[in-house]
Amino acid sequence: MLLTSPLFLLSLPLAAFALPFQPRAAESDKIAIGFYTGWHSDDVPLTSVSWDKYNTMIYAFATTTPDVQTLSLNGSDGSVLPEFVKQAHAHGVSAHISVGGWSGSKYFSSHFQSAENRTAFANTVLDFLNEYNLDGVDFDWEYPGVQGVGCNVVNANDTANFLAFLQEFRAAVSGKKITISATTPLLPFRDANGQPLTDVSEFAKVLDFISIMNYDVNGPWSPRLGPNAPLQDSCADTAYQFGSAATAVKAWRAAGFPLKKTVLGVPSYGHSYYVTPSDAFANNTKDLAPYPPFSKSKTPLGDGWDNTTSVDACGVTQPSGGTWNLRGLVAGGWLSADGKPAQGIYYSYDNCSRTPYLYNENSQVMISYDNAESYAAKGRFIEELGLRGFSLWESGGDYNDILLSAIKGTFN
Ligand SMILES: *[C@@H]1O[C@H](CO)[C@@H](O)[C@H](O)[C@H]1NC(C)=O
Ligand SMILES: *[C@@H]1O[C@H](CO)[C@@H](O)[C@H](O)[C@H]1NC(C)=O
Ligand SMILES: *[C@@H]1O[C@H](CO)[C@@H](O)[C@H](O)[C@H]1NC(C)=O
Ligand SMILES: *[C@@H]1O[C@H](CO)[C@@H](O)[C@H](O)[C@H]1NC(C)=O
Ligand SMILES: *[C@@H]1O[C@H](CO)[C@@H](O)[C@H](O)[C@H]1NC(C)=O
Ligand SMILES: *[C@@H]1O[C@H](CO)[C@@H](O)[C@H](O)[C@H]1NC(C)=O
């Protein structure tokens, strides 16, 4: 059972209904998380969110600033956040804030570096949760001990300092119903030598769950075109084994993170690449070749949420990212409204990564993405391993709940 049944609600003491907000999900239930990106709120208004299919929604992002006492909603249309929380609660959905993100992690390292700053930042986050009446906070530090966007403060002790902060923050919310989670890379956080931690059990004590970002495993930076969000990679050629849901969950588990506190991050988007027809098709057939070479000099423009150029959080001008969300693939004519490949588009499903590919021979663009079939495979994996649930980045990238319904349909 994914969401709480009416019977569970009936068994709640009546007093619960007098509280201003009572989350719908019991502690042991699977969690169905959607990330709501404030900067897409014009295209994806709160009224279009499928509130009844999630039990947690996370607003992205509150970003770190040079001032340990300030979080910023600039760039995330902060004016939407109060109504987001109101709508979530009206639907019995927990409302969380995600702090950090790719562009917003610049100052975690300095905020966590001294005891004074850790206390100050804990108060900053607590005040933010109180101000917006939030039920939880997700720390999305990309990444402790490893450079992310390019201009983050990075320190060898980041991971140890992060743990010290989380321990202090957990103690500070003691007695309050606040959920604390972390969005993580495929491998456990790095130790002072840059190696993945072999023991993350102390993190497991202070986090309610981690959400593993099993996406961007391959992208325009990869040597060959490969799956954005592979479920498995041990069946791929060894040269292309860059990680997968299976290896990530295994690594965190081996380091002591419980499966029942592990959430699989799943993407609504994929990456596009220029691939010549001779590379795209295998052996003079019209079957798509696995791991084809692609043009390194130019990345195609993605969907309506991509730009030909943009300025990143470090002030560096970046070319198009080439990302396509499912809703964009439908709007852009790659898929029909039922999510099936449109006429004239070549399709293949890689049975190792359990992810699909599309190819347009005219534009010579190939896309690795996720569809109902790959989401169902990910859902079965969550169910079989007994993971806590999934987190969909981003809820607004889905189309008619094709992805959301597919992954939820696999849960008992
Ligand atoms: C947000 O942007 C406004 C307008 O550019 C600016 O005045 C303000 O300082 C910014 N806030 C933060 C916390 O960065
Ligand atoms: C503590 O935070 C402030 C910014 O609020 C920063 O200037 C200072 O360098 C930080 N301390 C350490 C040890 O990083
Ligand atoms: C890491 O922490 C240790 C122990 O507190 C300290 O001696 C060392 O200087 C720190 N390293 C850095 C790079 O801050
Ligand atoms: C292409 O042909 C070779 C040799 O017959 C075979 O090993 C390979 O699997 C084929 N590739 C595809 C994608 O079918
Ligand atoms: C793309 O450009 C628009 C308008 O210039 C801007 O509002 C938006 O934030 C940009 N998107 C990205 C992903 O940079
Ligand atoms: C894909 O793999 C699954 C699981 O191993 C298997 O049941 C299925 O037959 C495979 N499909 C193809 C087309 O090879």
Side-chain angles (χ1 to χ4, degrees):
M1 180 183 65
L2 178 62
L3 296 177
T4 306
S5 70
L7 278 177
F8 171 80
L9 288 176
L10 287 176
S11 72
L12 276 176
L14 278 176
F17 292 98
L19 293 172
F21 168 65
Q22 191 68 31
R24 190 166 51 195
E27 186 64 24
S28 60
D29 281 346
K30 279 217 174 57
I31 39 182
I33 301 174
F35 279 96
Y36 184 83
T37 51
W39 60 92
H40 287 150
S41 59
D42 286 347
D43 288 344
V44 186
L46 292 172
T47 49
S48 73
V49 173
S50 297
W51 297 105
D52 56 333
K53 293 183 181 152
Y54 293 102
N55 45 30
T56 301
M57 286 293 291
I58 305 183
Y59 197 92
F61 286 111
T63 57
T64 62
T65 73
D67 179 3
V68 71
Q69 295 182 337
T70 307
L71 285 170
S72 174
L73 286 167
N74 280 359
S76 294
D77 201 348
S79 66
V80 177
L81 181 54
E83 186 61 21
F84 168 86
V85 175
K86 222 166 116 189
Q87 286 293 316
H89 289 175
H91 290 90
V93 172
S94 296
H96 299 187
I97 185 74
S98 185
V99 177
W102 179 252
S103 300
S105 296
K106 279 198 234 178
Y107 304 101
F108 276 125
S109 182
S110 57
H111 292 355
F112 295 159
Q113 234 169 89
S114 66
E116 292 84 345
N117 277 8
R118 287 193 288 272
T119 301
F121 194 62
N123 286 327
T124 302
V125 176
L126 269 178
D127 289 348
F128 190 96
L129 296 179
N130 285 335
E131 180 182 351
Y132 289 100
N133 194 23
L134 290 154
D135 312 299
V137 55
D138 174 55
F139 293 100
D140 182 359
W141 183 358
E142 300 182 24
Y143 311 93
V146 180
Q147 186 53 264
V149 67
C151 56
N152 292 343
V153 182
V154 181
N155 181 282
N157 293 338
D158 277 352
T159 294
N161 294 338
F162 188 22
L163 178 61
F165 167 80
L166 289 172
Q167 287 167 335
E168 178 168 351
F169 191 73
R170 170 57 73 190
V173 302
S174 148
K176 298 189 177 79
K177 276 203 157 72
I178 295 292
T179 299
I180 309 174
S181 61
T183 291
T184 75
L186 294 184
L187 293 176
F189 300 130
R190 303 306 171 109
D191 66 18
N193 298 314
Q195 296 303 310
L197 284 186
T198 53
D199 183 358
V200 294
S201 54
E202 292 300 316
F203 279 95
K205 286 181 191 161
V206 288
L207 291 170
D208 289 289
F209 60 86
I210 55 166
S211 173
I212 300 176
M213 291 184 283
N214 184 48
Y215 32 83
D216 299 328
V217 174
N218 288 284
W221 54 87
S222 300
R224 293 287 188 107
L225 188 158
N228 178 46
L231 184 57
Q232 309 281 347
D233 67 325
S234 53
C235 34
D237 194 297
T238 48
Y240 307 130
Q241 293 181 7
F242 297 117
S244 62
T247 59
V249 169
K250 197 174 161 192
W252 280 93
R253 184 190 195 183
F257 215 90
L259 293 175
K260 64 180 194 308
K261 284 189 162 199
T262 301
V263 167
L264 183 64
V266 291
S268 60
Y269 68 90
H271 291 287
S272 65
Y273 311 75
Y274 283 118
V275 179
T276 62
S278 60
D279 288 330
F281 297 117
N283 296 343
N284 299 315
T285 66
K286 286 291 184 185
D287 299 331
L288 298 183
Y291 298 92
F294 63 93
S295 165
K296 285 281 181 187
S297 58
K298 196 165 187 281
T299 299
L301 182 63
D303 64 18
W305 288 347
D306 193 15
N307 282 347
T308 46
T309 59
S310 59
V311 177
D312 72 14
C314 303
V316 177
T317 301
Q318 299 287 355
S320 53
T323 53
W324 285 87
N325 283 270
L326 196 78
R327 64 179 265 139
L329 290 172
V330 174
W334 287 86
L335 301 174
S336 40
D338 61 0
K340 300 275 180 344
Q343 217 176 354
I345 300 293
Y346 292 92
Y347 170 86
S348 78
Y349 187 80
D350 169 17
N351 210 31
C352 173
S353 68
R354 307 285 167 86
T355 58
Y357 294 82
L358 298 169
Y359 185 61
N360 181 329
E361 192 174 6
N362 297 323
S363 63
Q364 306 197 357
V365 172
M366 191 180 283
I367 301 178
S368 154
Y369 71 115
D370 268 85
N371 64 3
E373 190 174 356
S374 65
Y375 259 53
K378 288 175 165 87
R380 284 190 298 270
F381 172 84
I382 290 166
E383 186 71 27
E384 277 159 21
L385 268 74
L387 301 187
R388 187 73 191 277
F390 66 86
S391 60
L392 202 172
W393 180 274
E394 53 178 286
S395 61
D398 200 351
Y399 182 80
N400 270 353
D401 294 338
I402 286 174
L403 300 174
L404 183 56
S405 300
I407 197 165
K408 287 192 64 178
T410 62
F411 295 158
N412 290 327

